Amino acid sequence: MRFVAFLALGLLSTVTALAQDFPGIRTSNYAGVSSVFANPANIADSRHRWDFSLFNISTVVGNNKASFNLKDIGRTLNADSIKNNVFAEGTGNSNGAISAVVQGPSVFFNLNKKSALGITTRARVMSNIVDIDSKLAKQLIDDTENDTGFPYTITSANKMVVNANAWTEFGLSYAREIYSSGNHYLKGGISLKYLAGAANTSIHIDNLRATLNEDLIGDDVYLANSSGNIGLNYGGVSTSNFEAKDLLSFESTGFGADLGFVYEYRPDVSLAERRDLNKYKFKVSLAVLDIGSIKYQRDLSRSGGYGINISGAERFYLSALADAEIDDYKDTLNKYPQYFTPNASMSQSKYTVALPSTLQLNVDYHFHKGLYVNLDTQLALTNSSKNVNNSQYYTSVALTPRFESKGVGVFLPMTYNSLTAFTAGAAFRLGPLFIGSGSILSAAIGSSKQADFIFGLHFGSLQKSN
């Protein structure tokens, strides 16, 4: 079924967005220009005089069902395996999140001792799966799979949602020292972002009351005695034919912003002028990320809303949707007007998609020399259940012990989020190169409901001692 192509959009032809992007590395004092994505204030009083990022990649897939382990991670991270695990039968509703973030060429440099300027590019793809009934989804994904347990009753008061968003950002960041006196130091920063929306797609089903049953003669599964509502929404490029190059299309536009502050407690005032050193005993960072939205032109040829009414001896065979392209769902439903009644819920030509806003609170404690521990909390401010077109992150908390110096960094992120529960990983920085995973240790010693990978390359000039 062509639903796999929808997930491939979220996978960006690889593999949510659940916890923070770039686990471990985002806590580093030597992250350079990439640190602006965690808090725009970070580039002021940085350990770099300037830094250029060639490319950084963060990919994540997570869910409340599937388990990944290290020995067969290559086999489990293909599209067929992911969709079979995420929509595993007989285990309740499925929830999942998939993201890919590619930070393109970006640079920051100091304007003077108190301020810095950054120019960034970033492409992002996110997909969320919310409260999808597993048995229904499995039949839609692969109607040829052998299945048991019919008849099966679905009674859901929640919205079942699958969505995907793809967009590119062009950012301008400014950060500067706000206050410095004695042991106390405060800096702030802002990023303004021009947003180029490539694609937005969502499918949702509301208040579904239905019976799934099996036609043994026709070897097919059908809906009977069903009511509810279904909505299809499309904007931007075709989902079925989405390619990475489409991220550079300017189908839709919008504006966004990040805003942040960092407070540092500096016990040794004699080090105040040492720009090559981390001078704090502890620091507290607060940021609101992804403020803003993208305005899309709704594709009315693919979008539509329908009331579901299948009663008596009527049957709607799910193979009709299982064999259809995701962009052709409206044409398929229109072939069965006796079951699906059009309504005016998708009649507006334009609509707005909010960015996946989060509130970030970060506390970093410096034990001794290169030893640190970081507590990073993320609170999700958007919800795909309330607005089905919006992608979302999940609320999470991460504890990351680390050792870092100018040339080397070792990070051990341990994360708990409301989707995949606990994961533990490792990341490494060697000069300009970093690599890692926020879940590799969990996958190595057992199994993890998350699989992710980060990789990046940047270079710059470090501050010198005065």
Side-chain angles (χ1 to χ4, degrees), residues 209-229:
R209 304 290 188 272
T211 299
L212 280 177
N213 213 336
E214 186 176 19
D215 184 337
L216 296 176
I217 298 176
D219 192 23
D220 202 348
V221 175
Y222 60 87
L223 281 176
N225 300 316
S226 302
S227 63
N229 296 282

Side-chain angles (χ1 to χ4, degrees), residues 54-342:
L54 185 60
F55 66 91
N56 299 324
I57 299 172
S58 177
T59 61
V60 187
V61 56
N63 64 96
N64 64 334
K65 295 178 179 298
S67 292
F68 308 102
N69 58 71
L70 191 59
K71 65 180 180 180
D72 59 359
I73 196 72
R75 179 168 53 84
T76 57
L77 284 183
N78 62 69
D80 286 338
S81 178
I82 289 171
K83 55 98 174 176
N84 283 330
N85 285 325
V86 172
F87 298 111
E89 175 196 346
T91 51
N93 289 349
S94 296
N95 292 274
I98 303 166
S99 77
V101 178
V102 179
Q103 297 174 5
S106 302
V107 65
F108 100 90
F109 50 88
N110 289 296
L111 296 174
N112 50 50
K113 287 186 176 182
K114 293 187 176 182
S115 61
L117 189 71
I119 301 171
T120 58
T121 62
R122 180 166 58 159
R124 302 166 71 180
V125 177
M126 298 179 65
S127 179
N128 290 103
I129 302 160
V130 182
D131 287 337
I132 299 291
D133 184 271
S134 298
K135 200 175 188 74
L136 173 63
K138 192 155 189 170
Q139 294 302 319
L140 289 172
I141 289 170
D142 193 347
D143 62 319
T144 64
E145 294 235 356
N146 295 325
D147 208 345
T148 58
F150 295 108
Y152 174 78
T153 301
I154 301 172
T155 304
S156 174
N158 299 326
K159 284 186 179 180
M160 302 183 190
V161 180
V162 181
N163 65 31
N165 283 286
W167 74 100
T168 300
E169 302 173 352
F170 303 89
L172 178 65
S173 302
Y174 175 76
R176 69 167 289 113
E177 174 188 305
I178 297 174
Y179 177 82
S180 180
S181 179
N183 304 127
H184 307 289
Y185 176 86
L186 179 67
K187 58 184 177 180
I190 186 170
S191 296
L192 301 178
K193 301 183 289 187
Y194 176 77
L195 310 173
N200 169 257
T201 299
S202 68
I203 299 173
H204 68 276
I205 304 173
D206 300 341
N207 299 312
L208 181 64
R209 304 290 188 272
T211 299
L212 280 177
N213 213 336
E214 186 176 19
D215 184 337
L216 296 176
I217 298 176
D219 192 23
D220 202 348
V221 175
Y222 60 87
L223 281 176
N225 300 316
S226 302
S227 63
N229 296 282
I230 183 170
L232 314 171
N233 189 67
Y234 300 83
V237 300
S238 168
T239 305
S240 301
N241 300 315
F242 187 87
E243 298 179 4
K245 67 179 182 180
D246 292 323
L247 285 166
L248 297 178
S249 66
F250 290 74
E251 292 286 329
S252 304
T253 60
F255 294 94
D258 303 330
L259 179 65
F261 299 90
V262 177
Y263 165 79
E264 297 184 4
Y265 174 72
R266 299 177 169 183
D268 191 345
V269 295
S270 67
L271 300 177
E273 299 301 319
R274 290 290 302 273
R275 293 172 58 77
D276 61 317
L277 298 178
N278 296 320
K279 298 173 282 293
Y280 63 88
K281 187 61 178 178
F282 67 86
K283 68 178 179 180
V284 180
S285 305
L286 181 67
V288 181
L289 305 181
D290 289 325
I291 306 165
S293 61
I294 302 172
K295 182 166 287 188
Y296 280 90
Q297 184 77 30
R298 179 174 280 117
D299 186 345
L300 296 177
S301 67
R302 295 180 289 162
S303 304
Y306 297 85
I308 304 171
N309 184 16
I310 304 171
S311 60
E314 295 176 331
R315 299 179 176 185
F316 173 70
Y317 287 89
L318 295 181
S319 58
L321 287 174
D323 295 334
E325 295 279 1
I326 193 103
D327 289 287
D328 297 334
Y329 274 13
K330 181 177 182 179
D331 291 340
T332 301
L333 296 181
N334 285 339
K335 294 177 181 178
Y336 302 90
Q338 68 274 35
Y339 306 144
F340 304 101
T341 305

Side-chain angles (χ1 to χ4, degrees), residues 361-374:
L361 177 62
N362 183 290
V363 179
D364 199 48
Y365 187 82
H366 184 187
F367 278 103
H368 180 66
K369 293 186 177 180
L371 295 176
Y372 299 79
V373 64
N374 185 277

Side-chain angles (χ1 to χ4, degrees), residues 423-440:
T423 57
F428 306 91
R429 177 179 59 84
L430 182 60
L433 178 70
F434 69 81
I435 190 170
S437 166
S439 58
I440 192 170

